């Protein structure tokens, strides 16, 4: 793969086309992921409250265990994109296969852990006696799909690194459609209840993984790349992903602390917090799509040893992040009165939601910069710095958030602290970006 002449490479219009062509399909694929759980919830909800409660607990455990390993997508994207930029497609695909083999190994490990520990994990959530059996059943069956879910992450990273975000979109749409049909068929048609929902999801995830593997294997054969597991390559993939794992765990800790603080504030506060957090996460999908484009594009430029192009596209994506944040913030601010009835009719919750959503709206431009710079540094393979920066953010956030109840603050104060967390992230990422130390060129970061 060759890059365009430098004058065209640095054209803002060309950058815009490239960002949009990668970000829009990525956004579609990201939105499709939570729809899996929504479909399961809609179908299982008609079986009864205990079944729905069991699904909620099991789904939370399952998604947490899988999302912790999202580095399989991020690290693979950066590594593959570098080799694409260097013009070495066989090596790029070989690197991607190492990530897929790592995903299979981690998936097998998680299955062996989830099976015997499922009852204990469900108990940690404080499940009722009526919901617990359904949660355990769903978790144990769904665990069989974990290797496929991790393969989907790694293979998605391969295709993103190859500058292809359309195939993941098509696979996500196909998987969502299959999951909905299988759930309806197995839950009601076959009379399997919540077990049918779990098996439907497992089958859909395995079909998605098989589709991805077919695409990657065809590419490997076309370019003469080996499909065999390579111990050194798998170890290198794990080493590249380890800092991103630390980053992800630190971010998860921040979200858990925020939820724990909201719980201490009262029932209305935690209900409102969950609504705000859901909307905040939805907004994050839009901004994360730009970050994914950044991972792929930055990795390719650095692989081609074009630091000027990498800096130019970084600047352009920051502008995209700021304006996307402004637009999303205005939509949230203007739509607050319309959003409230969609979630609850409780006026006490409404009163808490209005100012908290305004804080979310005001901080969206900051979030836009954070997501973009996060993607830029991931694309550069700057994982160790990202891990350190997130640990610093956690260290700042935790004591301030935990002090909110004792200082008499409410939900709005908690979300201002969430805004502080995003501001700290932006500052740490901006410092690194301006230093230029992330501009390490070559087919491998070294």
């Amino acid at each position: 793969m060759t890059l365009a002449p430098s004058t065209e490479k640095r054209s803002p219009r060309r950058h815009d086309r490239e960002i949009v062509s990668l970000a829009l399909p990525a956004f579609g694929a990201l939105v499709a992921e939570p729809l899996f759980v929504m479909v399961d919830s809609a179908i299982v909800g008609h079986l009864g409250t205990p079944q729905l409660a069991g699904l909620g607990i099991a789904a939370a455990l399952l998604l947490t265990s899988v999302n912790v390993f999202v580095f399989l997508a991020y690290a693979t994207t950066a590594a593959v994109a570098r080799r694409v930029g260097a013009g070495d497609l066989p090596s790029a695909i070989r690197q991607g296969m190492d990530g897929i083999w790592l995903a299979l190994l981690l998936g097998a490990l998680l299955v062996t852990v989830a099976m015997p520990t499922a009852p204990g994990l469900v108990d940690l959530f404080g499940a009722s006696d009526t919901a617990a059996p359904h949660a355990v059943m769903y978790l144990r069956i769904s665990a069989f799909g974990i290797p496929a879910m991790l393969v989907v992450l790694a293979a998605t990273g391969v295709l993103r690194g190859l500058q292809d975000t359309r195939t993941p979109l098509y696979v996500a749409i196909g998987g969502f459609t299959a999951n909905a049909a299988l759930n309806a068929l197995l839950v009601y048609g076959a009379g399997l209840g919540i077990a049918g929902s779990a098996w439907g999801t497992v089958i859909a995830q395995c079909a998605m993984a098989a589709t991805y593997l077919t695409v990657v294997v065809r590419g490997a054969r076309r370019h003469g790349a080996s499909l065999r597991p390579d111990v050194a390559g798998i170890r290198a993939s794990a080493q590249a992903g380890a800092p991103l794992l630390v980053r992800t765990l630190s971010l998860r800790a921040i979200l858990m602390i925020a939820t724990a603080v909201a719980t201490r504030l009262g029932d209305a506060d935690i209900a409102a917090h969950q609504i705000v957090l859901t909307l905040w996460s939805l907004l994050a999908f839009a901004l994360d799509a730009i970050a994914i484009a950044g991972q792929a594009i930055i990795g390719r430029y650095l692989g081609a040893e074009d630091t000027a192009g990498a800096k130019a596209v970084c600047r352009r994506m920051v502008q995209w992040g700021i304006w996307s944040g402004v637009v999303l913030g205005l939509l949230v601010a203007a739509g607050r009165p319309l959003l409230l009835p969609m979630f609850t009719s409780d006026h006490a919750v409404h009163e808490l939601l209005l100012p908290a959503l305004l804080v979310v709206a005001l901080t969206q431009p900051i979030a836009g910069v954070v997501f973009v710079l996060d993607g830029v540094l991931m694309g550069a393979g700057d994982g160790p710095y990202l891990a350190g920066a997130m640990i610093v953010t956690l260290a700042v956030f935790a004591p301030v958030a935990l002090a909110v109840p004792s200082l008499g603050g409410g939900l709005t104060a908690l979300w201002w602290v969430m805004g502080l967390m995003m501001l700290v992230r932006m500052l740490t990422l901006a410092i690194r970006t301006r230093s230029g130390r992330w501009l390490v060129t070559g087919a491998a970061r070294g």
Side-chain angles (χ1 to χ4, degrees):
M1 182 176 184
T2 57
L3 294 174
S6 72
T7 54
E8 185 183 1
K9 261 186 313 196
R10 295 165 198 172
S11 163
R13 186 172 298 177
R14 182 178 185 275
H15 289 323
D16 290 344
R17 289 197 301 268
E18 195 169 27
I19 292 167
V20 170
S21 68
L22 290 172
L24 281 181
F27 174 68
L30 287 169
V31 171
E33 293 175 10
L35 293 179
F36 271 77
V37 177
M38 289 180 62
V39 167
D40 289 1
S41 299
I43 293 175
V44 171
H46 293 286
L47 295 175
T49 300
Q51 288 88 339
L52 183 58
L55 170 65
I57 294 168
L61 286 166
L62 186 68
L63 291 177
T64 298
S65 64
V66 171
N67 288 338
V68 160
F69 296 101
V70 71
F71 71 82
L72 288 167
Y74 294 159
T76 304
T77 298
V80 171
R82 275 184 175 271
R83 286 160 176 78
V84 168
D88 189 354
L89 280 177
S91 178
I93 297 173
R94 173 66 262 177
Q95 181 70 38
M97 284 304 306
D98 292 335
I100 290 173
W101 280 112
L102 177 61
L104 287 169
L105 291 173
L106 290 173
L109 178 62
L110 285 177
V111 171
T112 59
V113 171
M115 288 299 179
T117 61
L121 292 172
V122 169
D123 286 341
L124 286 175
F125 269 71
S128 66
D129 292 338
T130 54
H134 299 294
V136 172
M137 179 186 296
Y138 190 95
L139 183 58
R140 280 180 165 162
I141 295 173
S142 296
F144 288 112
I146 290 177
M149 295 170 77
L150 295 186
V151 167
V152 167
L153 283 177
T156 299
V158 176
L159 295 180
R160 288 174 181 170
L162 294 171
Q163 318 296 295
D164 176 11
T165 56
R166 291 184 180 274
T167 300
L169 172 61
Y170 300 147
V171 175
I173 293 173
F176 166 73
T177 305
N179 180 63
L182 287 167
N183 267 261
L185 177 64
L186 296 177
V187 171
Y188 297 116
L192 295 179
I194 193 171
S197 176
W199 281 118
T201 300
V202 169
I203 295 170
Q205 292 287 353
C206 288
M208 291 173 66
T211 302
Y212 273 119
L213 288 175
T214 299
V215 173
V216 174
V217 167
R218 284 178 179 172
R221 288 175 175 168
R222 185 165 57 249
H223 295 286
S226 173
L227 297 172
R228 295 180 180 180
D230 177 66
V231 175
I234 294 172
R235 186 186 301 114
S237 294
Q239 290 172 345
L244 296 180
L245 175 61
V246 173
R247 169 199 168 276
T248 301
L249 289 173
S250 299
L251 180 57
R252 288 281 167 185
I254 287 171
L255 298 179
M256 289 175 64
I257 290 171
T259 300
V261 170
T263 302
R264 292 170 58 189
L265 295 174
D267 290 347
D269 293 86
I270 184 59
H273 174 74
Q274 287 304 116
I275 294 171
V276 177
L277 188 61
T278 299
L279 290 170
W280 188 76
S281 300
L282 180 62
L283 296 171
F285 282 129
L287 298 175
D288 201 28
I290 304 174
I292 287 170
Q295 293 171 30
I297 297 170
I298 291 295
R300 196 190 76 221
Y301 272 107
L302 294 179
E305 301 190 2
D306 184 359
T307 57
K311 287 191 287 187
V313 77
C314 174
R315 287 193 297 270
R316 192 60 177 171
M317 281 189 292
V318 168
Q319 294 171 0
W320 269 82
I322 293 172
W323 284 111
S324 296
V326 169
V327 171
L328 292 174
L330 290 173
L331 289 175
V332 172
R336 286 181 302 153
L338 301 176
L339 290 171
L340 302 186
M342 293 174 57
F343 293 96
T344 179
S345 58
D346 190 324
H347 292 293
V349 177
H350 284 186
E351 291 179 1
L352 293 167
L353 278 172
L354 280 171
L357 286 175
L358 182 58
V359 175
V360 171
L362 291 172
T363 55
Q364 281 308 292
I366 295 175
V369 176
V370 168
F371 276 86
V372 166
L373 295 184
D374 212 35
V376 166
L377 296 183
M378 282 184 189
D382 206 8
Y385 182 84
L386 289 171
M390 191 60 77
I391 290 173
V392 169
T393 303
L394 174 60
V396 173
F397 172 82
V400 181
L402 293 172
V404 167
S406 61
L407 294 176
L411 185 68
T412 304
L414 175 60
W415 274 92
W416 275 119
V417 179
M418 289 287 285
L420 171 65
M421 178 269 294
M422 294 301 288
L423 180 61
V424 173
R425 287 187 68 189
M426 185 182 73
L427 292 175
T428 56
L429 295 173
I431 289 170
R432 183 64 167 184
T433 306
R434 289 181 66 85
S435 74
R437 294 180 182 176
W438 56 281
L439 292 165
V440 180
T441 59
R445 186 172 173 86

